[in-house]
Amino acid sequence: MTQRKGIILAGGSGTRLYPITMGLSKQLLPIYDKPMIYYPITVLMLAQIREIAIITTPEDQDQFRRLLGDGSQWGLDFTYIVQPSPDGLAQAYLLARDFLNGAGSAMVLGDNIFFGHGLSELLTAADTKPQGGTVFGYRVADPERYGVVDFDGNGQVRAIIEKPEIPPSQYAVTGLYFLDGTAPDRAGEIRPSQRNELEITTLLETYLHQGQLTVERMGRGYAWLDTGTHGSLLDAGNFVRTLERRQGLQTGCPDEIAFDQGWIDADQLSQRAALFAKNEYGRYLAGLLKQS
């Protein structure tokens, strides 16, 4: 089986967060002590994915390159792809067609944060399915804001409905999609919606109609946060701050995951710790070296 590759969709104009995103990409905003994009990067790392395409706007790409480089500081390999205009989430698979080169993919939205014990195992299980697609359902209080899963009486998926006025369930589809190598071809065949966008729900329906879509429900032990509004951005930062101060453990820390996986060695981690020596993040990395 061809190694699955990662996609982070970090484009868009971030208009819901104006004026703070008028001069800076949303995905570069801080979530407490780290840039937002660190969190989706670590999700892909937990799924053992090391080749990652980062899709950005033409204006923002240099900022992402300055922050992230080529990924080698974490034992990763980043490819940067420009999204000329935001034409829907499914457009990412068309833009990444050459990068994927027939491989399956895990795409995560750049403004989504996942947390929970057992997350790595959940992602690994999705990664082991060579055909079809796997998405994740998360119970929310306001499902009308999201793509919502419609289950039948046996708990099987009947449909995924985008922003329904009357939601058929309280399970929203999160911004994390494990799809096989046919995703670019499928995306090329779907028509733009009334919003003139290539909708991810339409792409997922092509898998569903062939009986090839799995929806894994994330239980109470998981947190899924999106950061599309000023309030949710603040909530996400406070959530991460509370976890870190309470547990003394980092959340969304690519340096720690890379070291644990053996993708970087102690000397490389030491260099990273020295870079951040004046703050808690650097002291945390130094602490990992002492424990190793």
Side-chain angles (χ1 to χ4, degrees):
M1 179 175 130
T2 305
Q3 180 67 38
R4 193 181 298 270
K5 298 181 180 181
I7 302 170
I8 299 175
L9 186 53
S13 53
T15 52
R16 288 191 297 164
L17 287 172
Y18 274 9
I20 59 176
T21 50
M22 291 178 74
L24 184 69
S25 169
K26 173 174 65 173
Q27 291 83 8
L28 295 174
L29 294 174
I31 302 297
Y32 184 45
D33 57 353
K34 292 175 291 295
M36 186 187 296
I37 196 168
Y38 270 35
Y39 297 88
I41 287 173
T42 56
V43 167
L44 296 178
M45 293 174 76
L46 288 173
Q48 306 294 312
I49 292 171
R50 300 177 69 178
E51 286 187 72
I52 300 172
I54 300 173
I55 299 178
T56 73
T57 67
E59 299 80 18
D60 294 326
Q61 189 175 104
D62 285 346
Q63 295 176 332
F64 283 93
R65 287 183 182 273
R66 187 164 62 248
L67 172 69
L68 302 173
D70 62 4
S72 59
Q73 71 274 22
W74 298 315
L76 305 177
D77 182 9
F78 290 150
T79 296
Y80 292 91
I81 299 174
V82 166
Q83 182 184 37
S85 58
D87 297 327
L89 301 186
Q91 181 195 24
Y93 295 97
L94 301 179
L95 297 172
R97 183 192 292 273
D98 290 344
F99 164 76
L100 293 174
N101 193 29
S105 61
M107 182 172 79
V108 59
L109 304 186
D111 61 356
N112 275 219
I113 296 172
F114 296 88
F115 175 83
H117 178 69
L119 180 60
S120 181
E121 290 79 6
L122 190 71
L123 300 175
T124 301
D127 183 45
T128 58
K129 299 174 184 174
Q131 273 88 41
T134 300
V135 296
F136 301 88
Y138 188 87
R139 186 181 174 90
V140 295
D142 49 355
E144 63 278 357
R145 291 181 51 216
Y146 304 96
V148 179
V149 185
D150 180 13
F151 297 102
D152 66 19
N154 297 318
Q156 299 299 307
V157 183
R158 275 194 302 222
I160 297 175
I161 306 168
E162 187 68 27
K163 296 182 175 64
E165 291 184 14
I166 303 176
S169 78
Q170 287 191 282
Y171 279 89
V173 177
T174 71
L176 178 60
Y177 315 90
F178 282 73
L179 301 182
D180 65 19
T182 66
D185 288 340
R186 292 171 184 265
E189 293 174 359
I190 66 176
R191 300 284 182 87
S193 66
Q194 292 182 339
R195 301 191 301 169
N196 202 33
E197 292 188 0
L198 299 178
E199 304 286 358
I200 191 71
T201 47
T202 307
L203 175 59
L204 296 177
E205 282 174 356
T206 69
Y207 286 95
L208 180 61
H209 292 157
Q210 295 176 358
Q212 294 185 334
L213 184 69
T214 301
V215 178
E216 295 286 353
R217 301 192 206 199
M218 287 182 155
R220 288 178 178 232
Y222 294 96
W224 168 54
L225 308 171
D226 70 46
T227 53
T229 66
H230 298 104
S232 60
L233 187 68
L234 180 62
D235 289 343
N238 286 332
F239 176 80
V240 170
R241 180 175 185 266
T242 299
L243 283 174
E244 292 184 2
R245 288 172 66 89
R246 182 69 173 170
Q247 298 183 323
L249 297 171
Q250 276 283 330
T251 299
C253 180
D255 297 280
E256 180 177 16
I257 297 172
F259 184 60
D260 286 346
Q261 298 285 4
W263 299 343
I264 62 173
D265 59 25
D267 287 341
Q268 291 169 294
L269 185 62
S270 179
Q271 292 175 20
R272 296 287 291 174
L275 180 62
F276 306 117
K278 292 185 177 181
N279 61 36
E280 284 296 324
Y281 188 77
R283 287 188 280 275
Y284 181 80
L285 298 184
L288 295 177
L289 286 167
K290 292 178 182 178
Q291 297 166 22
S292 64

